[in-house]
Amino acid sequence: MSEVIIRKAVQEDCASMLELIKELADYEKALHEVTLTLEQFIEDGFGKSPVWGAFVAEYEGGIVGISLYYDRYSTWKGRRLYLEDLVVTEKLRGKQIGKKLFEATLEYGKSNQYSGMVFQVLNWNEPAINFYKKYSPKFDDEWFNVSIEFN
């Protein structure tokens, strides 16, 4: 396998990143829920007030994985890094790309003085659960996920 390069995302990566997000949504049987446009995604990541950051995995000239994160604040713990999506294209899973992306994100959080990183994983996604267990996370079965849609 050629070398995989992990680097910070740039605006030109957004179309490929959005395709990976849709691939993840399809895997999670929720592709119909992706309503984000490319224009909004670019604005939200690279506009006047960016709200997300990301690392990408580049392989043979293409984007094959992403780790997208943003700031979260805990009144108990202070600044937390929220990992929104960790995605590696299906055909390249199992080749340590996710590990490299995840560890780059962990290092970013540590080096920028976040108090920790939080994320969600679907309870039926055994491959992802087993991946995260290697990092000794605390799985919380006490809290419900709640969201309110505005549109």
Side-chain angles (χ1 to χ4, degrees), residues 61-74:
I63 303 302
V64 299
I66 64 169
S67 174
L68 190 141
Y69 56 84
Y70 53 86
D71 283 1
R72 179 174 177 251
Y73 193 79
S74 166

Side-chain angles (χ1 to χ4, degrees), residues 18-129:
L18 190 53
E19 287 306 309
L20 283 168
I21 291 165
K22 289 177 182 178
E23 183 178 327
L24 174 64
D26 190 40
Y27 174 77
E28 294 179 350
K29 300 167 183 49
L31 182 58
H32 62 282
E33 293 186 35
V34 179
T35 59
L36 181 67
T37 66
L38 178 58
E39 293 75 20
Q40 188 65 54
F41 188 53
I42 291 169
E43 178 64 27
D44 292 343
F46 297 95
K48 286 186 280 187
S49 299
V51 295
W52 61 261
F55 289 99
V56 296
E58 189 174 353
Y59 176 67
E60 296 184 345
I63 303 302
V64 299
I66 64 169
S67 174
L68 190 141
Y69 56 84
Y70 53 86
D71 283 1
R72 179 174 177 251
Y73 193 79
S74 166
T75 56
W76 292 6
K77 303 283 186 183
R79 290 179 63 225
R80 310 284 278 173
L81 194 62
Y82 190 87
L83 176 62
E84 178 65 22
D85 283 329
L86 178 65
V87 188
V88 174
T89 191
E90 186 175 10
K91 66 182 179 228
L92 292 175
R93 291 183 190 150
K95 300 193 181 302
Q96 305 294 308
I97 298 170
K99 178 182 188 297
K100 290 178 182 180
L101 283 164
F102 191 71
E103 290 178 358
T105 309
L106 287 173
E107 183 54 39
Y108 172 82
K110 290 175 185 177
S111 66
N112 285 281
Q113 289 74 49
Y114 287 87
S115 63
M117 186 168 77
V118 293
F119 52 92
Q120 297 173 304
V121 60
L122 288 167
N123 62 2
W124 56 260
N125 191 343
E126 287 296 322
I129 291 168

